[in-house]
């Protein structure tokens, strides 16, 4: 074989090999591998193998990179190629010696990192003309994110929508920035929050994500790229949440839209255009934490790329002329986007990758520099296996789909005020925000609430000494509520306006003709409170942690962390997870806290909410307009009011009227109540007593600075109880039954959170109002079966259809991301998905969905004992408390015929949520999770 060395222009470009150095610090990394320091021994010290038979591969990089564990592992394997010799150029040589003195090589592996003299490496390549594994000129472009994005765009590779803000005095037209509260406009391109702000220098890892005010505002600040230094400086924290919402005012940046992934990033590592290794890691943007193992290394899981992603990897490798190249992929909305190209980078801690990488690099080098050997090209692949899990009935099947509908966590009492308004300024506001399109308008943004407040303030001034004290009181109440927290947050309160073409319907006796002639008005509904409490966050997070046991490998003490059961499933992209929430702040925050527990995240909920929870444009999937009742609901409420206004003990006829379904919990409550008006009298007297006690506390100087739970004051507590006292007993002396759920809501909250006040009569008020609420609340969703089904369908038909679709799609869709089979040991069903859909909503949807399961004719309890036991259990449940869950699990038996009924197995799981303040002795104990498999 002829000499394969590339001769250079100067005599120093002949090959030099080092087998030692004067201070004996050389690393012997393989039989054919040498480390080159500043001193070189002459030719008589060379090893036995003649240089003309060797291909010399030079490694030109900073010591931290060239001596790293991945590089060492790969070079050791590369040395096993008989004709390849590796020379590592010392950092001192690279930094201090002229390139003419650098050792010569046939093939150069050289790459930029902090402190590396790229200019010298380019000059060396021009001088010695080695075969370059990674092009050097392109490495200048990789250091500038603007150039990276330009090249990606030219290659037709998907990347997030972006704009560049160049703060360059010579190019003022590229520096137009307009900042709004919830968006930025960069050179005419508008980016609503959340958006990402990246410095143009790829060396600067201070990437910020800005969040919308509706999710809590603020920003997430990346403080480095999970680097070695970082993990020693600040442990595993890679980014930190900050309340700062304004963008940076100095420096040049790329602004891009935030891509909502499912909370994991994919890092792709190419070795040539035909090989790509991909790994998933938990996104540090989610909670600022990088998952690390016992050695402090970031925990990552290998994943399989789709055909399209493999094509992207090929394009990136070729476009940037980097054989060994790392880049970041975001998988969002069914597409894959490239958001960063890092250039030369290796996978850490993967023996298979080290084997593959060395083999491919060796092949590339040999095929380029020794074509006469006809080196073959092969990449090994292995078949997938599909293991199984136990079902509740004890049989072994594959878990395919988990669907859960979950009520939000503990909240502050919901409060509401309605008033009819006719002032032109309200109509102007209604028109400004397109209220006439649907006849309804919901205002949540701070600037919108400010407009309502400004109108209310003006009207209060205009009224002056107006004699109508009721209007005066309402206006001041409006003003008080909007300013209650000292700042506006759309997550805390909202204003709803509904167009009434003939004004508000008056008493039933009013002439219909006269009503038609009355002028249009707007029904203004102000809602506040109902905010998720710290206790609610803890409940949601705890349930999220417990929910991991629903998945393979997750049983026992909520599943060990990290790397088993659900956590591994999720990080490896075989967990197809989507979380949906209604537009209520408490529901969204519950979803975020649940995700935090489920996926072992840390930190603030805002970044988790933005990245993980979908709540926009869901067409009523989880929201319900509780202010516009159906005709059936109106009929039901009227009958409820009639029965509950009876000042006598319940008779047999009342039981038939109010509890035709024979619900055990309903019958128990009616037996306890006996005379509904008498109980209402007692409740009213207890509320009067309570407000007078709070009033006395307020007048007591010792209680002046008393802080109640969740920053409430005695004054605010008095306000909510006084409002209930005013509203519960009407002017005609009868009781407004619709206020009972609010009374129970308030007393439940105070018994649980403000017990330290030691107010008299609260236990009795709790007991009586709960008994009333246990009749009113479930029966508002229908008294007989037909009504229950009609009302349920009105609330959750879109949700039922979506659940049906989720279950059907599971066995139709096999085209999605897969885990690499070689790494699937200890992970069940490596090539298949577990689809998880979590729906967070309010009490109305949970009641309705349960009605459909109970009365929709799924099974006949006379013929199915297990179903009868389940129905008896539901019948005995008096309250669907916070965090109530309905879970549907779908299993598949791959051994059965696809058309057979035995192919699929569906389980329904239910829990009535958190335990109440007082233990209800009537509640039956459930059968627990997976009774058959537990045996």
């Amino acid at each position: 074989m002829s000499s394969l060395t590339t001769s250079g222009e100067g005599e120093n470009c002949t090959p030099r090999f080092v087998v030692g150095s004067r201070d004996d610090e050389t690393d012997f990394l393989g039989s054919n591998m040498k480390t080159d320091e500043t001193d070189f021994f002459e030719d008589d010290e060379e090893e036995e193998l003649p240089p003309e038979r060797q291909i010399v591969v030079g490694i030109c990089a900073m010591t931290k990179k060239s001596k790293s564990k991945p590089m060492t592992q790969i070079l050791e394997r590369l040395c096993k190629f008989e004709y390849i010799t590796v020379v590592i150029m010392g950092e001192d040589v690279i930094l201090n010696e002229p390139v003419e003195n650098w050792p010569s090589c046939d093939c150069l592996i050289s790459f930029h990192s902090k402190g590396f003299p790229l200019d010298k490496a380019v000059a060396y390549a021009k001088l010695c003309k080695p075969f370059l594994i990674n092009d050097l000129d392109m490495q200048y472009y990789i250091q500038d994110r603007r150039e990276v994005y330009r090249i990606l765009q030219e290659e037709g590779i998907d990347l997030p929508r972006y704009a560049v803000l160049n703060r360059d005095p010579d190019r003022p037209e590229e520096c137009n920035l307009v900042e709004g509260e919830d968006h930025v406009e960069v050179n005419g391109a508008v980016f609503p929050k959340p958006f990402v702000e990246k410095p143009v220098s790829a060396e600067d890892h201070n990437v910020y994500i800005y969040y919308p005010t509706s999710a809590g505002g603020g920003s997430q600040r990346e403080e480095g790229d999970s680097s070695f230094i970082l993990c020693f400086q600040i442990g595993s924290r890679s980014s930190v949440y900050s309340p700062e919402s304004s963008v940076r005012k100095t420096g040049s940046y790329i602004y891009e839209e935030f891509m909502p992934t499912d909370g994991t990033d994919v890092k792709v590592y190419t070795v040539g255009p035909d090989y790509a290794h991909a790994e998933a890691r938990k996104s540090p943007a989610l909670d600022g934490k990088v998952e690390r193992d016992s050695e402090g290394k970031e925990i990552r899981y290998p994943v399989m790329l789709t055909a399209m992603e493999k094509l992207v990897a090929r394009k990136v490798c070729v476009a940037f002329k980097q054989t060994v190249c790392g880049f970041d992929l975001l998988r969002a909305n069914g597409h894959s986007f490239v958001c960063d190209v890092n250039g030369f980078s290796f996978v850490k801690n993967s023996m298979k990758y080290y084997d593959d990488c060395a083999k491919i690099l060796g092949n590339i080098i040999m095929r380029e520099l020794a074509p006469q050997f006809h080196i073959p090209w092969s990449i090994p692949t292995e078949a997938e296996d599909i293991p199984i899990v136990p079902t509740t009935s004890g049989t072994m099947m594959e878990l395919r789909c988990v669907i859960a509908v979950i009520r939000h966590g503990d909240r502050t009492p919901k409060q509401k005020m309605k008033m009819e308004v006719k002032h032109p300024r309200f109509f102007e506001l209604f028109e400004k925000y397109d209220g006439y399109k649907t006849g309804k308008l919901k205002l949540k943004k701070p600037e919108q609430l400010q407009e309502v407040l400004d109108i209310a303030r003006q009207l209060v001034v205009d009224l002056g000494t107006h004699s109508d004290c009721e209007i005066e009181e309402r206006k001041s109440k409006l003003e008080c509520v909007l300013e209650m927290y000292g700042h506006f947050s759309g997550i805390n309160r909202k204003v709803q306006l509904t167009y009434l073409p003939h004004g508000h319907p008056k008493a039933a006796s009013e002439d219909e003709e006269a009503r038609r002639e009355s002028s249009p008005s707007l029904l203004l509904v102000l809602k506040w409170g109902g905010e998720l409490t710290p206790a609610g966050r803890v409940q949601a997070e705890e349930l999220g942690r417990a929910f991991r046991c629903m998945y393979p490998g997750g049983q026992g003490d909520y599943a060990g962390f990290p790397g088993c059961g659900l956590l591994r499933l999720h990080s490896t992209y075989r967990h197809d997870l989507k979380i949906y929430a209604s537009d209520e702040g408490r529901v969204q925050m519950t979803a975020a806290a649940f995700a935090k527990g489920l996926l072992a995240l840390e930190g603030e909920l805002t970044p988790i909410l933005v990245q993980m929870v979908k709540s926009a444009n869901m067409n009523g999937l989880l929201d319900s307009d509780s202010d516009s009742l159906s005709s059936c609901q109106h009929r039901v409420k009227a009958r409820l009011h009639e029965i509950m206004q009876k000042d006598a003990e319940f008779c047999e006829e009342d039981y038939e009227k109010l509890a035709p379904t024979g619900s055990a919990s309903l019958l128990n409550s009616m037996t306890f109540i006996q005379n509904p008006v008498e109980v209402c009298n007692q409740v009213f007297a207890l509320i009067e007593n309570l407000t007078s006690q709070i009033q006395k506390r307020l007048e007591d100087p010792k209680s002046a600075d008393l802080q109640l739970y969740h920053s409430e004051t005695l004054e605010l507590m008095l306000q909510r109880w006084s409002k209930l006292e005013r509203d519960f007993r009407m002017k005609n002396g009868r009781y407004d039954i619709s206020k009972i759920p609010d009374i129970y809501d308030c007393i439940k909250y105070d018994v649980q959170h403000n017990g330290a006040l030691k107010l008299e009569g609260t236990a009795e008020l709790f007991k009586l109002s709960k008994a009333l609420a246990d009749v009113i609340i479930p029966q508002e969703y229908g008294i007989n079966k037909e009504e229950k089904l009609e009302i349920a369908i009105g609330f959750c038909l879109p949700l039922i259809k979506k659940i049906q679709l989720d279950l059907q799609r599971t066995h139709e869709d096999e085209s999605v991301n897969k885990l690499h089979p070689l790494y699937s040991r200890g992970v069940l069903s490596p090539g298949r998905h577990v689809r998880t859909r979590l729906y967070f909503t309010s009490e109305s949807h949970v009641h309705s969905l349960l009605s459909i399961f109970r009365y929709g004719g799924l099974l006949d309890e006379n013929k199915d004992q297990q179903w009868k036991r389940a129905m008896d259990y539901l019948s005995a449940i008096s309250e669907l408390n916070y965090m109530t869950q309905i879970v549907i699990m779908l299993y598949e038996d791959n051994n059965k015929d696809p058309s057979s009924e035995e192919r699929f197995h569906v389980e329904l799981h239910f829990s009535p949520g958190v335990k109440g303040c007082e233990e209800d002795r009537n509640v039956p104990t459930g059968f627990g999770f997976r009774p058959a498999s537990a045996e």
Side-chain angles (χ1 to χ4, degrees):
M1 177 177 157
S2 60
S3 171
L4 295 169
T5 55
T6 308
S7 56
E9 292 165 28
E11 61 177 20
N12 283 317
C13 283
T14 52
R16 293 186 175 202
F17 306 101
V18 171
V19 291
S21 69
R22 286 179 187 158
D23 54 9
D24 282 323
E25 286 182 354
T26 304
D27 297 321
F28 289 92
L29 299 172
S31 58
N32 296 6
M33 183 167 164
K34 325 289 180 297
T35 301
D36 189 284
E37 295 295 342
T38 51
D39 305 305
F40 306 113
F41 292 109
E42 298 307 316
D43 287 349
D44 61 346
E45 300 256 357
E46 286 173 11
E47 66 165 359
E48 294 167 3
L49 204 60
E52 63 267 22
R53 292 192 57 221
Q54 291 296 292
I55 296 171
V56 181
V57 178
I59 310 298
C60 177
M62 302 301 277
T63 301
K64 188 179 153 187
K65 300 289 183 184
S66 61
K67 298 278 188 75
S68 68
K69 182 186 171 186
M71 182 67 96
T72 303
Q73 292 276 353
I74 288 160
L75 295 183
E76 276 180 357
R77 288 161 171 79
L78 195 58
C79 288
K80 290 177 182 172
F81 278 80
E82 189 182 344
Y83 298 104
I84 289 178
T85 296
V86 175
V87 175
I88 298 178
M89 300 184 192
E91 193 172 294
D92 193 39
V93 172
I94 295 167
L95 295 176
N96 302 319
E97 291 282 333
V99 295
E100 290 76 15
N101 290 353
W102 288 13
S104 179
C105 63
D106 307 295
C107 171
L108 181 66
I109 297 177
S110 180
F111 52 94
H112 178 267
S113 64
K114 195 173 181 182
F116 180 77
L118 187 55
D119 294 349
K120 285 178 81 175
V122 169
Y124 171 79
K126 280 181 183 167
L127 179 68
C128 290
K129 298 184 175 59
F131 167 54
L132 295 175
I133 291 292
N134 277 32
D135 185 89
L136 292 167
D137 290 320
M138 288 301 288
Q139 292 184 32
Y140 289 109
Y141 291 131
I142 290 172
Q143 292 174 56
D144 188 328
R145 286 191 171 100
R146 291 167 295 196
E147 291 299 321
V148 169
Y149 276 32
R150 177 185 63 77
I151 293 166
L152 290 171
Q153 228 167 2
E154 284 173 1
E155 292 299 319
I157 295 167
D158 284 345
L159 64 162
R161 184 175 69 88
Y162 76 99
V164 179
L165 183 78
N166 281 318
R167 285 199 170 96
D168 183 344
D170 299 330
R171 292 187 285 181
E173 73 283 356
E174 293 179 16
C175 186
N176 294 318
L177 176 76
V178 180
E179 187 171 12
E181 184 173 48
D182 266 334
H183 74 279
V184 286
E185 190 179 321
V186 181
N187 302 326
V190 176
F191 294 87
K193 290 179 181 177
F195 60 76
V196 184
E197 178 187 62
K198 295 178 175 177
V200 293
S201 165
E203 301 295 294
D204 185 345
H205 300 299
N206 290 296
V207 175
Y208 290 7
I209 302 165
Y210 295 89
Y211 298 111
T213 49
S214 62
S219 54
Q220 187 89 357
R221 303 175 166 223
E222 301 284 327
E223 295 185 338
D225 200 21
S226 323
S227 65
F228 176 81
I229 300 166
L230 183 76
C231 66
F232 283 97
Q233 285 177 340
I234 45 175
S236 53
R237 188 149 287 281
S238 156
S239 59
V240 63
Y241 178 76
S242 157
E244 181 54 60
S245 290
S246 295
V247 299
R248 288 171 278 190
K249 300 300 186 289
T250 55
S252 296
Y253 300 94
I254 286 178
Y255 290 88
E256 65 183 56
E257 67 179 324
F258 179 85
M259 308 303 291
T261 66
D262 68 354
T264 42
D265 289 348
V266 179
K267 289 205 167 285
V268 183
Y269 301 87
T270 70
V271 187
D274 298 307
Y275 178 92
H277 173 98
E279 288 188 337
R281 64 164 184 169
K282 188 184 71 190
S283 167
L286 207 53
D287 61 357
K289 286 276 287 188
V290 171
E291 255 182 90
R292 297 191 185 277
D293 62 18
S294 56
E295 295 176 10
K297 296 274 192 304
E298 189 176 355
I299 293 174
R300 295 178 175 179
Y301 303 103
V303 297
M304 292 184 87
L305 296 173
T306 64
M308 284 303 290
E309 288 168 339
K310 286 173 184 170
L311 185 61
V312 167
R314 183 185 184 87
K315 282 183 173 180
V316 169
C317 178
V318 172
F320 290 90
K321 299 178 184 171
Q322 307 292 298
T323 301
V324 178
C325 187
F327 66 92
D328 293 352
L329 262 187
L330 295 175
R331 285 168 164 171
N333 305 323
H335 291 277
S336 299
F337 302 86
V338 176
C339 65
D340 205 1
V341 177
N342 313 116
F344 193 100
S345 48
F346 282 141
V347 176
K348 299 164 186 72
N349 301 324
S350 167
M351 293 300 158
K352 180 183 182 300
Y353 171 81
Y354 299 151
D355 292 343
D356 291 347
C357 184
K359 182 180 177 183
I360 294 163
L361 283 177
N363 282 355
I364 289 171
I365 293 162
M366 292 295 288
R367 287 163 78 194
E368 177 69 28
L369 299 175
Q372 62 271 45
F373 281 100
H374 303 292
I375 302 292
W377 182 252
S378 68
I379 295 177
T381 55
E382 291 189 17
E384 297 178 13
D385 59 326
I386 297 177
I388 43 182
V389 293
T391 64
T392 48
S393 55
T395 56
M396 300 298 282
M397 297 176 91
E398 184 188 357
L399 176 64
R400 299 306 312 278
C401 185
V402 178
I403 294 166
V405 179
I406 303 171
R407 190 187 171 196
H408 58 74
D410 180 70
R411 55 160 170 74
T412 60
K414 279 199 298 186
Q415 297 184 73
K416 187 187 339 186
M417 186 186 71
K418 290 184 182 181
M419 57 195 281
E420 187 182 9
V421 293
K422 294 193 175 187
H423 197 280
R425 286 188 65 185
F426 281 114
F427 282 100
E428 285 164 20
L429 186 73
F430 193 69
E431 188 172 8
K432 179 181 175 182
Y433 292 110
D434 286 336
Y436 287 108
K437 269 188 185 174
T438 57
K440 288 177 186 174
L441 185 60
K442 200 179 278 186
L443 305 174
K444 288 179 80 171
K445 290 184 178 174
E447 64 268 24
Q448 295 173 330
L449 295 175
Q450 186 64 54
E451 288 181 73
V452 177
L453 178 59
D454 291 343
I455 295 170
R457 279 206 195 116
Q458 187 58 48
L459 291 180
V460 170
V461 171
D462 292 350
L463 283 164
T465 56
H466 202 280
S467 58
D468 191 341
C469 57
E470 191 180 331
I471 290 180
E472 186 96 37
E473 182 201 330
R474 284 184 176 186
K475 299 290 187 205
S476 57
K477 187 66 177 277
L478 181 71
E479 193 174 16
C480 165
V481 170
L482 288 176
E483 291 180 320
M484 193 182 289
Y485 292 82
H487 72 281
F488 291 132
S489 165
I491 250 167
N492 292 336
R493 72 211 90 168
K494 65 183 173 194
V495 169
Q496 284 168 227
L497 289 167
T498 307
Y499 182 67
L500 305 171
H502 307 295
H504 201 272
K506 302 290 187 294
S509 60
E510 188 181 284
D511 183 7
E512 184 65 27
E513 197 67 38
R515 197 185 150 235
R516 280 202 192 120
E517 288 172 13
S518 59
S519 60
S521 66
L522 293 169
L523 177 65
L524 185 147
V525 181
L526 174 63
K527 294 181 174 182
W528 70 102
E531 191 183 346
L532 192 69
T533 62
R537 290 185 180 207
V538 170
Q539 289 164 359
E541 207 176 318
E542 279 290 311
L543 182 61
R545 268 199 288 276
F547 204 80
R548 288 185 217 157
C549 330
M550 305 290 271
Y551 296 83
Q555 280 80 6
D557 195 25
Y558 291 4
F561 171 76
C564 82
L566 174 86
L567 299 172
R568 176 127 189 239
L569 191 71
H570 189 72
S571 289
T572 52
Y573 276 99
R574 294 186 309 96
H575 186 210
D576 174 16
L577 169 70
K578 285 194 173 67
I579 301 174
Y580 298 89
S582 69
D583 75 344
E584 297 286 358
R586 59 182 166 273
V587 179
Q588 293 180 15
M589 284 302 178
T590 299
F594 184 95
K596 183 178 174 179
L598 182 72
L599 302 174
L601 308 174
E602 293 190 22
E604 299 290 330
L605 292 185
T606 294
I608 300 170
L609 172 62
V610 170
Q611 188 144 333
M612 301 290 298
V613 181
K614 299 171 192 299
S615 60
N617 308 320
M618 292 197 299
N619 300 324
L621 186 71
L622 298 168
D623 294 292
S624 55
D625 186 1
S626 54
D627 293 302
S628 56
L629 302 178
S630 68
S631 57
C632 183
Q633 283 171 286
H634 277 299
R635 289 198 307 273
V636 165
K637 279 203 166 182
R639 287 217 324 279
L640 262 179
H641 278 246
E642 183 196 329
I643 299 166
M644 297 300 284
Q645 297 287 3
K646 189 178 172 186
D647 191 2
E649 289 197 10
F650 286 131
C651 62
E652 201 168 318
E653 188 188 345
D654 295 323
Y655 278 92
E656 285 169 13
K657 272 187 185 174
L658 197 53
T661 58
S663 164
S665 62
L666 199 57
L667 298 173
N668 288 339
S669 294
M670 288 179 73
T671 305
F672 175 81
I673 291 166
Q674 295 187 331
N675 180 328
V677 172
E678 185 50 47
V679 173
C680 285
N681 285 334
Q682 292 173 45
V683 166
F684 184 70
L686 286 164
I687 294 173
E688 281 185 314
N689 180 28
L690 190 60
T691 50
S692 69
Q693 286 182 71
I694 300 166
Q695 185 67 54
K696 280 177 189 159
R697 290 283 177 96
L698 256 176
E699 291 160 6
D700 184 352
K702 291 178 194 166
S703 307
D705 300 319
L706 193 64
Q707 277 282 307
L708 307 184
Y709 183 70
H710 202 43
S711 305
E712 194 181 29
T713 60
L714 272 173
E715 195 172 11
L716 290 173
M717 186 186 190
L718 180 62
Q719 269 184 20
R720 62 181 162 86
W721 279 111
S722 299
K723 184 177 186 301
L724 285 171
E725 187 184 331
R726 279 195 311 273
D727 296 348
F728 184 42
R729 187 149 76 179
M730 299 180 287
K731 287 172 186 171
N732 60 10
R734 299 179 79 187
Y735 290 105
D736 182 352
I737 301 302
S738 67
K739 297 295 171 212
I740 284 169
D742 299 342
I743 294 167
Y744 174 57
D745 201 22
C746 270
I747 194 63
K748 180 165 121 179
Y749 180 81
D750 286 330
V751 166
Q752 195 165 343
H753 298 300
N754 292 320
L757 287 175
K758 295 189 169 58
L759 296 164
E760 289 173 19
T762 51
E764 184 66 12
L765 180 53
F766 176 83
K767 192 166 69 174
L768 294 174
S769 61
K770 176 167 170 49
L772 289 169
D774 288 347
V775 172
I776 300 292
I777 293 172
Q779 298 311 77
E780 279 185 340
Y781 296 99
I783 294 173
N784 59 41
K785 286 183 184 181
E786 292 72 30
E787 288 165 345
K788 283 182 185 292
L789 279 172
E790 186 180 333
I791 290 170
I793 286 166
F795 272 109
C796 65
L797 185 61
L799 179 60
I800 283 284
K801 286 183 172 175
K802 178 75 171 67
I803 289 171
Q804 210 172 5
L805 209 60
D806 293 335
L807 291 166
Q808 284 167 352
R809 277 189 183 155
T810 299
H811 57 278
E812 291 166 3
D813 183 12
E814 285 301 329
S815 64
V816 225
N817 317 313
K818 293 184 178 183
L819 174 67
H820 198 290
L822 201 75
Y823 296 88
S824 65
R825 297 183 192 96
V827 177
L828 296 170
S829 54
R832 319 250 298 185
H833 264 72
V834 176
R835 178 188 291 263
T836 298
R837 296 291 179 268
L838 305 175
Y839 298 97
F840 288 87
T841 185
S842 52
E843 197 177 13
S844 57
H845 273 70
V846 179
H847 269 287
S848 301
L849 190 58
L850 217 48
S851 288
I852 287 171
F853 285 144
R854 287 175 77 175
Y855 307 116
L858 271 181
L859 290 164
D860 185 346
E861 56 189 87
N862 297 320
K863 295 177 183 173
D864 189 317
Q865 279 305 302
Q866 189 179 352
W867 188 252
K868 185 178 186 328
R869 282 201 307 272
M871 293 302 101
D872 289 347
Y873 178 83
L874 290 178
S875 173
I877 298 294
S878 63
E879 180 182 4
L880 303 184
N881 211 340
Y882 302 126
M883 304 310 302
T884 292
Q885 320 115 52
I886 300 166
V887 183
I888 305 167
M889 300 180 81
L890 173 71
Y891 298 84
E892 185 174 1
D893 185 343
N894 296 294
N895 299 318
K896 296 285 189 292
D897 188 281
S899 59
S900 158
E901 279 205 2
E902 294 177 352
R903 174 83 179 193
F904 291 98
H905 168 86
V906 178
E907 290 176 2
L908 291 174
H909 297 263
F910 167 78
S911 161
V914 298
K915 288 185 176 170
C917 311
E918 292 181 2
E919 202 58 54
D920 187 346
R921 292 183 188 88
N922 295 318
V923 172
T925 53
F927 303 108
F929 179 66
R930 300 186 178 275
S933 59
E935 287 164 17

